[in-house]
Amino acid sequence: MATTVRRAVLTLPAAPLGPENPLPALRPLDEMHVVDDRARAGLPRDMARQIGYEPLGTVLPVRILDGYGRERTPTGLDAIIIENDRLRATVLPGLGGRIHSLHHKPTGRELLYTNPVLQPADFALNGAWFSGGIEWNIGATGHTTLSCAPVHAARVPAPDGGEMVRLWEWERLRDLPFQVDLWLPADSDFLHVGVRIRNPHEHTAPVYWWSNIAVPEGERTRVLAPADEAWHFGYERTLTRVPVPETGSVDRTYPLLSDFPADYFYEVPDGARRWIASLDAEGRGLVQTSTDLLRGRKLFVWGNGPGGRRWQQWLTEPGTVGYAEIQAGLARTQLEHIPLEPGAEFSWLESYGPLSADPGVVHGDDWTAARAETEQRLAEALPRADVDAAYAAWRPYADTEPGESLATGSGWGALEVRRAGYKLPGTPFAESTLGEQQAPWLYLLDRGGFPEPRRVAPPGPSLVSAHWRDMLETAAAEPLTEYHLGIAQWHAGDRAQAVRSWERGLALAPSRWPLLRCLAVAAQEGGQRDRVADLYSEAFDDLCAERRDDGDGWTAATIALGSEAIEALLSAGRTEDARTVWTGLSPAIQQRGRFRLLEARLLLAEGDRAAGRAVFDEGFEVADLREGAEILDEVWSALTDDPLPDVYNYRMHPKS
């Protein structure tokens, strides 16, 4: 059959994402992939330089997504199906362009781990993320802020005369447009993926890319890559060079043989073909290969310990198969960012398909033979020269203007194109995509100031790039302008000027709590605990007096500010004030898992350990528990000497 592209609806049990957190993300999230300066000293110079190059300070201007819960209901998700007589790929354009499924029709096998549910969890840089399939991670170290966001999608002509699907968006952490072209030639067992990242600016931009592939973690599943060494990152925040396959007398190429979650970034020799494969007990599975620019390969394992098992259950449903991740990136490790010169671009081609190899060799004791067998089978299924030829064939089509639209992403790219007049052939950001969030910024661009708010509501999202900061600095000094200007200055590292802007805005602001909260974060960064407590108390009181209803926007603001206020007041030893904020929350908010945990901490601070323990005994789930967080363990240990129940055990490294 000829390759076809069609729309479809995929129905999964899904937990709604909920509203955005309206509080600007002034603090850096606790991203796990960090090494300190001393650890960098012993690394290869190019790696150390790229680890130190433009690390992310905050996720501004992106907003945090933490309004989801754990209640799932059958939900229809827009999907795009790309299919020939060999493969069927299911793509979710409303969720970052994730490939949910890659089904090999002749064998009836699913090549990926396909999550049977859509359950957001706090793994992305901005919160909500879900496991499974193939995701496209761009921006900065961590899961992309587009994990649960819509992207643009359209049909475009394919190099073989058929059709391919183009996904594209404007990545806001680095202000870079990118595209992902999905091309499935007729009669092919391999899905080709052409990727391009462009820098339209007059300054060099840091770039990060990792294609993240979830694969089933069977008991005899082995991950193979062309390497004898790897860089091990084990959530103790150290990066260590280790041999492959065995480390500490354990063969780490079998995901279930590790005790704790860990990353293995393979040291692929220069000149070697870039590939990684996950093969089961019968020697069958998925292989990913690429042109040489995509040099990095990685294995992530959850391990077989209670913490890793608990995370697996948290991300899907108990009783379902677990997964590991095989990945491919621009650098050797995910801790690195690579400079992209002004006006330049990075582009490459990846290929995904089935692979079968001799199981006796693949699972034998000779690692060199296992690698050679896998690479030989790959060479027979898809020669390296064919991948290079596919890239050369695709490249002239990267600028082709899209045809029929299949999905619509955000309006942020259209705003940037409108501001700067960028010419981006192949990835149009139409003005028709401009929406409510972009409207005040379009007004600022055209008229030099913000429009008067039509109603009392939490402020909309901020923009922080240098050109927007310049416009804010020359706009009339209205309270809303000072609020957004302070956020842009904070992002730029000018913390003192940000505080001055917020204080100027506070003097005339009809709505004080957004500015008070910004000042509270600034005081917190300065270690002024009592001032932090005072500002948060005042901000929460002001919010309660101002909010007009129990709509999603006001509820999200109350949840976000209430939790921050209680945390700050407990840290300052102001237990009575923390209790006052607690009582100001509605019963529905108090019953959320995040606030049940805060209640246990509040009871502990009040000296009632038995009541705090009772909160744990009654049971609760913190839906937005952050990857690597140990707060449940810490609070439990402060309440009792009993062992931590498995249901609260999310530990990702050995207890020190």
Side-chain angles (χ1 to χ4, degrees), residues 189-190 273 354-358 372-384 386:
D189 275 321
F190 282 84
R273 184 175 185 180
L355 193 72
S356 293
D358 184 332
E373 163 68 10
T374 307
E375 187 154 2
Q376 178 58 35
R377 296 293 173 256
L378 171 59
E380 295 167 0
L382 184 66
R384 186 176 188 178
D386 286 6

Side-chain angles (χ1 to χ4, degrees), residues 29-35 141-142 233-238 263 335 626-630 652-653:
L29 285 183
D30 188 17
E31 165 53 35
M32 296 296 298
H33 292 87
V34 177
V35 294
T141 298
F233 185 87
Y235 293 85
E236 298 91 348
R237 306 201 176 191
T238 58
D263 297 324
L335 289 74
R626 183 67 179 164
E627 176 190 12
E630 298 178 3
M652 298 184 76
H653 60 85

Side-chain angles (χ1 to χ4, degrees), residues 345-524:
E345 62 182 54
F346 289 140
S347 66
W348 65 91
L349 186 123
E350 307 177 42
S351 299
Y352 296 82
L355 193 72
S356 293
D358 184 332
V361 180
V362 165
H363 295 289
D365 294 333
D366 188 336
W367 171 246
T368 301
R371 280 176 39 197
E373 163 68 10
T374 307
E375 187 154 2
Q376 178 58 35
R377 296 293 173 256
L378 171 59
E380 295 167 0
L382 184 66
R384 186 176 188 178
D386 286 6
V387 176
D388 293 335
Y391 172 71
W394 163 74
R395 194 62 189 81
Y397 287 79
D399 282 350
T400 302
E401 289 304 307
E404 178 195 357
S405 174
L406 299 172
T408 303
S410 78
W412 296 113
L415 183 66
E416 293 300 331
V417 168
R418 170 73 177 273
R419 179 195 63 79
Y422 296 128
K423 304 300 181 186
L424 299 168
T427 54
F429 292 95
E431 289 205 9
S432 60
T433 62
L434 292 165
E436 182 181 354
Q437 290 194 332
Q438 292 82 41
W441 297 94
L442 190 61
Y443 194 97
L444 173 67
L445 186 62
D446 291 342
R447 306 194 188 187
F450 284 111
E452 281 292 321
R454 290 175 295 176
R455 56 190 174 87
V456 177
S462 298
L463 292 177
V464 296
S465 299
H467 37 264
W468 292 107
R469 188 172 72 248
D470 289 344
M471 273 186 269
L472 289 166
E473 286 173 346
T474 57
E478 300 293 337
L480 186 59
T481 303
E482 298 290 359
Y483 166 79
H484 287 300
L485 175 58
I487 293 168
Q489 291 165 333
W490 182 269
H491 176 264
D494 193 349
R495 303 297 173 83
Q497 190 59 55
V499 169
R500 285 192 284 272
S501 295
W502 291 326
E503 288 176 340
R504 282 197 305 270
L506 190 63
L508 297 173
S511 180
R512 293 170 52 82
W513 65 266
L515 292 151
L516 289 166
R517 184 265 176 176
C518 289
L519 289 168
V521 173
Q524 206 161 36

Side-chain angles (χ1 to χ4, degrees), residues 162-235:
E163 287 185 320
M164 58 184 178
V165 172
R166 175 162 300 156
L167 310 169
W168 74 98
E169 245 305 346
W170 190 276
E171 199 288 310
R172 301 178 65 211
L173 296 181
R174 305 303 194 182
D175 263 339
L176 299 176
F178 73 99
Q179 70 189 75
V180 176
D181 287 356
L182 306 175
W183 170 31
L184 180 58
D187 303 321
S188 175
D189 275 321
F190 282 84
L191 175 70
H192 296 317
V193 180
V195 183
R196 177 166 66 164
I197 304 169
R198 286 184 276 192
N199 180 6
H201 307 296
E202 296 179 353
H203 60 267
T204 301
V207 170
Y208 172 94
W209 182 278
W210 282 82
S211 302
N212 186 355
I213 309 131
V215 291
E217 55 162 20
E219 192 165 330
R220 289 290 293 164
T221 294
R222 192 176 206 186
V223 171
L224 301 103
D228 293 314
E229 293 183 304
W231 294 94
H232 169 257
F233 185 87
Y235 293 85

Side-chain angles (χ1 to χ4, degrees), residues 20-31:
E20 293 179 331
N21 184 327
L23 305 186
L26 301 176
R27 300 185 187 86
L29 285 183
D30 188 17
E31 165 53 35

